[in-house]
Amino acid sequence: MSNNKTVLVTGGSSGLGAQFCRTLAANGYTVVAAARRLEQLQALCAEIEEAGGKAYPLALDVTDLGSLASAIDKAEAAVGPITCLVNNAGSSVSKKAVDMTPEDFDFVVDLNLKAPYFLCTEFARRWIANGIQGRIVNVGSVSDRKAMPGHTVYGTTKAAIARLTQQFAREWINKGICVNALAPGYIRTELNAEYFDSPAGQAVAAFMPRRRVGKPSDLDKAILYLCEPDQEFLTGQVLALDDGQCL
Ligand SMILES: NC(=O)c1ccc[n+]([C@@H]2O[C@H](COP(=O)([O-])OP(=O)(O)OC[C@H]3O[C@@H](n4cnc5c(N)ncnc54)[C@H](OP(=O)(O)O)[C@@H]3O)[C@@H](O)[C@H]2O)c1
């Protein structure tokens, strides 16, 4: 077990990823915040350092698979070995299934499934070679189990993420690597703020059991639990955190 708590969070420039970075940094992790928008990452890292934490901004397009290894090398040269990965970057194309183009399909699959796959394997290869018992948290969604019109490919990638989490957990279980997933319900972020401001979105929120959508900090305790290096018994699980939205 490594005492080094260094985590790379993809999609750290906004929404859930930025909140994961803040929470993990406030709890002793050195954070590598990765995304395409470097200015947002730099502002977030400055905010974390101002609060007494340690954070490093990493410009990274996770769909550029050929750049993953060198980007991780660069981050590790700056902060030391990374022992935890939060695969959070993700998005959707909101269209009826019959209107999705092959390009739309590839955009969602490349970002939500292919990139997390190759980030997981890149880290697992390093951890196995160096005897690091790393932790992976894949950010899925309750759309892995609840069909949402207009998000067919998105929901399919999130169901695949749940399965991938189990596969990787089993494959690396005897290397001490734990792989789990966090499946949030609706949380208000850049991804959906416009929708929840619209009459349609407000109607959806009004039908939820607690008549509300979540806020990113509602996931704070869960992300800490799933990243915890001393937690060895939990692997291959998908933790749904949705305020009862799917009930
Ligand atoms: N909000 C919800 O209600 C909700 C519910 C369930 C699951 N989720 C999941 O939670 C995750 C975060 O969503 P969010 O709501 O926080 O969305 P968000 O605010 O739109 O954030 C998405 C993040 O992904 C990054 N990103 C997008 N494309 C990227 C790429 N090619 N390379 C690197 N980073 C990329 C974006 O940064 P850059 O643009 O700077 O690259 C941004 O930081 C997603 O996986 C989403 O599916 C969200």
Side-chain angles (χ1 to χ4, degrees), residues 105-118:
F105 185 100
D106 285 348
F107 169 79
V108 179
V109 172
D110 286 354
L111 178 58
N112 293 2
L113 181 58
K114 203 168 176 186
Y117 182 102
F118 284 101

Side-chain angles (χ1 to χ4, degrees), residues 81-136:
I82 293 167
T83 55
C84 182
L85 165 68
V86 178
N87 259 322
N88 163 77
S91 193
S92 185
V93 172
S94 179
K95 282 185 183 176
K96 290 177 183 167
V98 292
D99 293 332
M100 289 288 283
T101 64
E103 291 74 24
D104 295 332
F105 185 100
D106 285 348
F107 169 79
V108 179
V109 172
D110 286 354
L111 178 58
N112 293 2
L113 181 58
K114 203 168 176 186
Y117 182 102
F118 284 101
L119 277 162
C120 285
T121 53
E122 180 61 37
F123 274 105
R125 205 175 295 115
R126 290 167 189 245
W127 291 341
I128 291 166
N130 294 303
I132 293 174
Q133 300 187 343
R135 299 287 178 262
I136 294 173

Side-chain angles (χ1 to χ4, degrees), residues 2 4-9 30-34 55-60 67-85 119-135:
S2 168
N4 176 12
K5 296 197 334 179
T6 301
V7 59
L8 185 146
V9 180
T30 298
V31 168
V32 177
Y56 175 80
L58 181 68
L60 175 67
S67 75
L68 298 182
S70 59
I72 295 166
D73 285 345
K74 185 177 166 194
E76 291 194 321
V79 302
I82 293 167
T83 55
C84 182
L85 165 68
L119 277 162
C120 285
T121 53
E122 180 61 37
F123 274 105
R125 205 175 295 115
R126 290 167 189 245
W127 291 341
I128 291 166
N130 294 303
I132 293 174
Q133 300 187 343
R135 299 287 178 262

